[in-house]
Amino acid sequence: LQSSGTPYWIDEFSIQKELEKCAFDRPFAAALAKDGSLEIRIEKHDRSAYLVLMPAYGGREITIDDVEDKIRELGIVFGIEYDTINNMLSEKIYDKPVLFAKCKEPVHGMDGRIEYDFPLEFKMTPKELDDNKVDYKELQMIFAVNKGDTVARKIPPTAGEPGCTITGKAIPAKPGRDITLTAGRNTAFSDDALSIQSLIDGQPILKGKTVFVERVLLVQGDVDYSVGNINFKGSVKGRGSITAGCSVKAPEKID
């Protein structure tokens, strides 16, 4: 039967039974016409579906209408890739599961965050001068703001975007976590409570999760090349001395 290239499905089970009976000189059905068939496997909680085509043996081939009928029967309504199905039919891809429908995954929300309009840490970078020279006294280690300046702002969390299963059910998105913005001394919230403004001229400081603005700049040690020149909007109070060649400037008071 195989060598003759019969287009029918060879029924090996029936052949084996007849051989066991040793029944001779009696015809029996050894090969049958068999229509093509298909199977659809839905996996991962309706998140994906695979199509398996089985070939016809002398019978009717599977058509796109057969596939669509099965898709409707199973309630698959979203994420169907018809190009994939048509390619399987035209290329006669049999006995192989092929992904042909997939869900839309949810986009989870982003956590809220706080953006600060002042440096939280400083790098000791001397000021560049002309002729490739640098001034090691101008380290710009002090940052000051004016009254009314925004010193921090809150970016609210997002809700995210739900997804959809291949059967049309919503896949919920996880909302982002909120974060607390705290206004400390000499600061105030904006009307929408999403930003903090300075109430004075001074130095913004982050202590824990709270933003302050200090009118008095406290210098713990000497004003030397490790600190650089100081030009502060407010008052400066020092506990050391000013090294020769360095300077301290403030519009209010220098102690």
Side-chain angles (χ1 to χ4, degrees), residues 131-147:
D131 300 326
N132 295 322
K133 296 180 180 180
V134 294
D135 187 348
Y136 286 94
K137 294 178 295 181
E138 297 294 337
L139 297 178
Q140 300 177 338
M141 299 289 287
I142 306 299
F143 186 88
V145 295
N146 297 316
K147 179 180 179 181

Side-chain angles (χ1 to χ4, degrees), residues 7-9 33-37 54-62 94:
Y8 302 109
W9 178 70
K34 189 175 181 181
D35 293 341
S37 60
M54 277 70 81
Y57 295 90
R60 190 179 69 84
E61 295 281 356
I62 290 293
Y94 296 127

Side-chain angles (χ1 to χ4, degrees), residues 60-203:
R60 190 179 69 84
E61 295 281 356
I62 290 293
T63 67
I64 185 65
D65 291 336
D66 298 323
V67 179
E68 289 180 339
D69 288 344
K70 190 66 173 179
I71 287 173
R72 283 191 292 270
E73 176 187 330
L74 296 175
I76 300 174
V77 296
F78 182 85
I80 303 169
E81 298 175 358
Y82 283 100
D83 287 345
T84 298
I85 297 172
N86 287 320
N87 181 66
M88 291 180 67
L89 293 170
S90 62
E91 298 295 326
K92 300 185 182 302
I93 300 174
Y94 296 127
D95 302 313
K96 176 183 177 182
V98 176
L99 177 67
F100 78 96
K102 54 187 175 182
C103 71
K104 176 186 176 184
E105 294 290 349
V107 178
H108 298 307
M110 297 181 64
D111 293 343
R113 67 184 190 277
I114 297 175
E115 294 181 350
Y116 300 96
D117 292 345
F118 59 93
L120 300 182
E121 58 182 30
F122 291 91
K123 295 182 180 179
M124 295 182 62
T125 305
K127 182 179 180 180
E128 294 186 5
L129 305 175
D130 295 334
D131 300 326
N132 295 322
K133 296 180 180 180
V134 294
D135 187 348
Y136 286 94
K137 294 178 295 181
E138 297 294 337
L139 297 178
Q140 300 177 338
M141 299 289 287
I142 306 299
F143 186 88
V145 295
N146 297 316
K147 179 180 179 181
D149 285 351
T150 296
V151 292
R153 64 193 77 240
K154 174 182 176 180
I155 309 301
T158 60
E161 182 180 342
C164 182
T165 68
I166 60 175
T167 54
K169 299 176 183 177
I171 305 175
K174 296 179 181 178
R177 294 173 295 182
D178 202 0
I179 193 169
T180 301
L181 180 64
T182 307
R185 184 171 52 253
N186 297 323
T187 66
F189 281 108
S190 60
D191 293 339
D192 59 8
L194 292 179
S195 63
I196 294 177
Q197 279 82 44
S198 176
L199 298 178
I200 62 171
D201 296 342
Q203 181 187 24

Side-chain angles (χ1 to χ4, degrees), residues 181-238:
L181 180 64
T182 307
R185 184 171 52 253
N186 297 323
T187 66
F189 281 108
S190 60
D191 293 339
D192 59 8
L194 292 179
S195 63
I196 294 177
Q197 279 82 44
S198 176
L199 298 178
I200 62 171
D201 296 342
Q203 181 187 24
I205 298 174
L206 179 65
K207 296 181 180 179
K209 296 182 179 180
T210 304
V211 179
F212 298 82
V213 177
E214 300 291 358
R215 186 184 300 276
V216 177
L217 174 64
L218 179 62
V219 182
Q220 296 289 350
D222 295 338
V223 178
D224 53 21
Y225 284 96
S226 67
V227 176
N229 294 334
I230 294 176
N231 188 354
F232 182 66
K233 299 176 180 180
S235 299
V236 177
K237 185 173 183 180

